[in-house]
Amino acid sequence: MTAFIARRLFFIVLVLVAVSMLVFGITALLPANVAYLILGPFAPPDQVRALEIKLGLTDPIWQQYLRWASSFLTGNLGESTLMNRPIGPMLTEAVGRSLMLTGASFVLIAVIGVGLGIVAALRHGKPLDHGVSIGTYLGIAVPEFFWAIIVILVFAAWLGWLPASGYEAPSEGLWIWLKHLIAPTITLVFGHLAHVSRLTRSSMIEVLQSPYVTAARAKGLPEHVVVLRHALRNALLPTITALALDFGRLMGGIVVVETIFAYPGLGRLIVFSIQNRDLPTLQAAILVVAAIYAAANLVADLLYARFNPKIRYGRNVS
Amino acid sequence: MSAEVSTTVVDEKPPARGWPLQLKIGLLLTGTIVLLSLLAPSIAPHPWDTVSMRTRFLPPGPTYWLGTDEYGRDVLSRLLMGGRLSIAMGLGATIVSLLVGVPMGLAAGYFRGWVDETLMRLADVLMAVPPIMLGLLVLAVTPPSLWKTALAVGFVYIPLIARITRSVTLTLANEEFIQAARARSESNWYILFREILPNAWPPLLVEASLRVTYAILLGSALSFLGLGAQPPSSDWGLMIAEARSFIDRAPWIALAPGLAMCLLVIGINLLGDGLRERLDPRLKTRIGKR
């Protein structure tokens, strides 16, 4: 297991290095470079040229990459060209806020998704089962930005219960903080529920038909004990991996949701830096996302190995 | 990187003969929307792009069935014209990822060794960033337009197609008819495209049909963020983005394209699931990666 983890970690580092090359390479294709962006569209060409030389933009691309990567490794993420702020603290703040959002959504997805899955499995083939299926189907068939608009329409415009957008720090008061978190969380949860609930449902149906559940019932155990203590334990196996993968997927979901709800997290920072051609911020933010994504995938693999006795990761890992 | 999560439900019912119900409903939904979009220029009741200040924000009624938007344009006509864009974008993106991903997967699965290793590690790198962010990154480089969005979305889904093709190829490569072709000393080219590909198409077709829905969703999200179709285009993602500011005053402008996209995606999903059931009854509905 240790060897497996070590190999995966090494592989993750390799992938991150490759992603950093990809990010740097793509942004280097941009027609306007950093010097031009700093000085603005009306700067005289000789001044742009002078700044280009000062910033080292005339060096070969691999030299620029090495300089960027090495300063990145020493923890110096550089400065945002747009906001004239160091990127490090800005990014940390944004990641923190995004983790609040994804964390809350993740917990709800796990609890509601598994709950719905169990209920649907117990009512297998009945109207309730179909209702859950159709409801969660809608969740994935409709784009997140459309759900977000419906949530705003219902909870902010019509009912007036929640603010339509924005973010308040917990120091402003817990209730105010929570109120701003609810609408984007609902949107994210609804969009990602189907995966977990369907998986739980199908494995639960399978497990409930197995002989050991019949044995537990034959012993005269109450049904809730059979379901929650005997069946669920095995039925959750595939769900656990799916959940870890969903966390990575949530990192993609925040882009749209944070933009719509004007929630100042990582997703919005990325869109903002693209719209304003803030290259250093964009590069750093994408790398952070790739790192979180890789970590979620690693956790998924580890949980799979940990909980599934049939799988033992040995020499041959693909 | 990680295990593809798929669900296999053992159903009590024997597989139905003929066309599964899902396939029929899916075909009906998708067919209707595609047909309406194709006929859009002739059946649209009003011009889709004529600005008129006197007809702003009219709610749905007998003249304007789905109401009008902030520039007084007919929402129904815009919706019909926009459908062409969304469908073309989804199909275009899927074709791009098939054109690149299928040969990649065939080569990786057949040649194995360093070819496989190189191609799959390349795929891992592309899959190390959430699809939407990879799309954003690629599109950040150029001024936005819809065909670029289609290209970017297609690019994003290349690794997934390559992986599926590879796994299908791996199983096919050991079959006797391939060994026979090798014994006849057929060229690699012939074996890959004349022997393996024709036998690999059922799972690829199912995957491609589902991929179209993800492509439509991802492309519309990118359009929504301003990195796709540009005004005055009536791409559905863009329509919803523009309608956002008037959501409390004129909800129909956003609801119409939203519901249309909903129906289209559900239709194609059912089509894909139905196809899967028809081609491979053992596998049941599955939810893939977004």
Side-chain angles (χ1 to χ4, degrees), chain B residues 83 87 131 156 193 200-201 245 263 289:
Chain B
I87 294 167
V156 165
F193 290 95
W201 73 265
S245 336
L263 288 177
K289 294 184 171 180

Side-chain angles (χ1 to χ4, degrees), chain A residues 8 11 15 18-19 22-23 26-27 29-31 124 137-146 149-150 152-153 157 191 194-195 198-199 202 206 209 242 245 248-249 251-252 254-256 259-260 270-271 274-275 277 282 286 289-290 293 297 301 304 318, chain B residues 1-3 5-12 121 124-134 136-143 217 220-221 224-225 227 236-237 240 244 247-248 251 254-255 258-259 261-262 265-266 269-270 273 285-290:
Chain A
R8 288 309 308 244
F11 183 63
V15 165
V19 169
L22 181 79
V23 169
I26 287 181
T27 44
L29 292 176
L30 277 172
H124 178 39
Y137 208 77
L138 276 178
I140 47 159
V142 181
E144 263 151 354
F145 54 87
F146 186 61
I149 285 180
I150 303 265
I152 293 179
L153 189 64
H195 192 211
R198 283 192 167 193
L199 214 54
S202 58
E206 229 177 300
Q209 287 165 349
L245 289 179
R249 251 172 254 187
M251 293 310 293
I254 58 172
V255 174
V256 166
T259 306
I260 297 183
I270 288 176
V271 174
I274 284 178
Q275 282 164 350
R277 309 258 143 167
L282 178 62
I286 298 262
V289 171
Y293 208 57
N297 273 321
D301 282 355
Y304 197 66
S318 64
Chain B
M1 255 180 132
S2 31
V5 183
S6 61
T7 326
T8 32
V9 184
V10 188
D11 219 39
E12 298 83 41
R121 295 296 85 84
D124 281 341
V125 173
L126 288 183
M127 285 168 83
V129 183
I132 189 164
M133 297 204 185
L134 192 56
L136 284 174
L137 190 63
V138 176
L139 290 171
V141 182
T142 62
L217 288 173
S220 68
F224 180 83
L225 293 172
L227 289 167
W236 291 348
I240 298 178
R244 229 170 97 195
I247 187 72
D248 47 341
L255 289 178
L259 289 176
M261 192 176 296
C262 195
V265 170
I266 291 176
N269 257 325
L270 288 174
D273 283 346
T285 40
R286 187 208 66 163
I287 301 185
K289 294 184 171 180
R290 190 171 267 211

Side-chain angles (χ1 to χ4, degrees), chain B residues 237-286:
Chain B
L238 184 65
M239 267 177 95
I240 298 178
E242 289 177 335
R244 229 170 97 195
S245 336
F246 318 106
I247 187 72
D248 47 341
R249 237 196 319 166
W252 57 86
I253 314 176
L255 289 178
L259 289 176
M261 192 176 296
C262 195
L263 288 177
L264 178 62
V265 170
I266 291 176
I268 305 178
N269 257 325
L270 288 174
L271 196 70
D273 283 346
L275 273 180
R276 182 197 303 279
E277 205 166 322
R278 180 107 176 88
L279 297 171
D280 185 1
R282 279 170 304 135
L283 294 170
K284 282 282 186 166
T285 40
R286 187 208 66 163

Side-chain angles (χ1 to χ4, degrees), chain A residues 81-312:
Chain A
T81 54
L82 185 75
M83 288 161 269
N84 290 321
R85 280 179 64 186
I87 294 172
M90 196 164 73
L91 206 56
T92 327
E93 261 176 34
V95 169
R97 291 180 193 137
S98 287
L99 285 182
M100 286 178 199
L101 190 56
T102 43
S105 309
F106 182 73
V107 172
L108 285 174
I109 288 171
V111 173
I112 301 176
V114 169
L116 281 178
I118 295 174
V119 169
L122 291 177
R123 296 274 176 278
H124 178 39
K126 304 249 170 63
L128 188 66
D129 180 23
H130 296 310
V132 170
S133 290
I134 293 171
T136 50
Y137 208 77
L138 276 178
I140 47 159
V142 181
E144 263 151 354
F145 54 87
F146 186 61
W147 284 135
I149 285 180
I150 303 265
V151 167
I152 293 179
L153 189 64
V154 172
F155 291 101
W158 290 348
L159 298 174
W161 292 350
L162 300 171
S165 61
Y167 167 81
E168 294 289 342
S171 54
E172 298 289 313
L174 270 183
W175 176 231
I176 296 178
W177 169 71
L178 209 59
K179 255 167 109 174
H180 284 86
L181 217 54
I182 294 175
T185 307
I186 293 177
T187 312
L188 276 177
V189 170
F190 200 50
H192 290 82
L193 211 50
H195 192 211
V196 170
S197 73
R198 283 192 167 193
L199 214 54
T200 312
R201 171 185 175 274
S202 58
S203 54
M204 195 72 183
I205 290 174
E206 229 177 300
V207 169
L208 282 177
Q209 287 165 349
S210 62
Y212 84 91
V213 170
T214 317
R217 283 196 179 126
K219 272 199 302 189
L221 291 176
E223 186 65 15
H224 69 269
V225 177
V226 175
V227 172
L228 294 179
R229 308 225 19 203
H230 292 244
L232 190 61
R233 190 169 287 187
N234 278 318
L236 275 185
L237 238 161
T239 310
I240 290 169
T241 336
L243 272 172
L245 289 179
D246 271 343
F247 192 79
R249 251 172 254 187
L250 279 174
M251 293 310 293
I254 58 172
V255 174
V256 166
V257 169
E258 288 185 352
T259 306
I260 297 183
F261 289 101
Y263 188 90
L266 195 54
R268 186 150 179 257
L269 186 66
I270 288 176
V271 174
F272 190 75
S273 58
I274 284 178
Q275 282 164 350
N276 296 289
R277 309 258 143 167
D278 187 349
L279 299 188
T281 312
L282 178 62
Q283 291 164 339
I286 298 262
L287 266 187
V288 169
V289 171
I292 298 178
Y293 208 57
N297 273 321
L298 177 67
V299 172
D301 282 355
L302 291 183
L303 287 176
Y304 197 66
R306 170 75 185 77
F307 285 100
N308 192 347
K310 284 183 221 150
I311 303 277
R312 282 279 176 263

Side-chain angles (χ1 to χ4, degrees), chain B residues 116-198:
Chain B
D116 187 18
E117 199 61 24
T118 315
L119 289 175
M120 287 303 114
R121 295 296 85 84
L122 213 66
D124 281 341
V125 173
L126 288 183
M127 285 168 83
V129 183
I132 189 164
M133 297 204 185
L134 192 56
L136 284 174
L137 190 63
V138 176
L139 290 171
V141 182
T142 62
S145 74
L146 195 63
W147 65 269
K148 286 179 193 161
T149 312
L151 271 185
V153 172
F155 173 72
V156 165
Y157 286 133
I158 287 174
L160 285 171
I161 299 279
R163 283 193 159 197
I164 287 157
T165 316
R166 173 181 177 268
S167 66
V168 178
T169 311
L170 277 178
T171 48
L172 285 175
N174 294 324
E175 299 277 335
E176 279 166 4
F177 69 95
I178 301 295
Q179 290 168 9
R182 268 200 206 135
R184 294 200 308 269
S185 66
E186 300 280 6
S187 68
N188 284 333
W189 182 267
Y190 179 90
I191 293 178
L192 285 183
F193 290 95
R194 284 298 177 79
E195 300 278 3
I196 295 182
L197 190 56

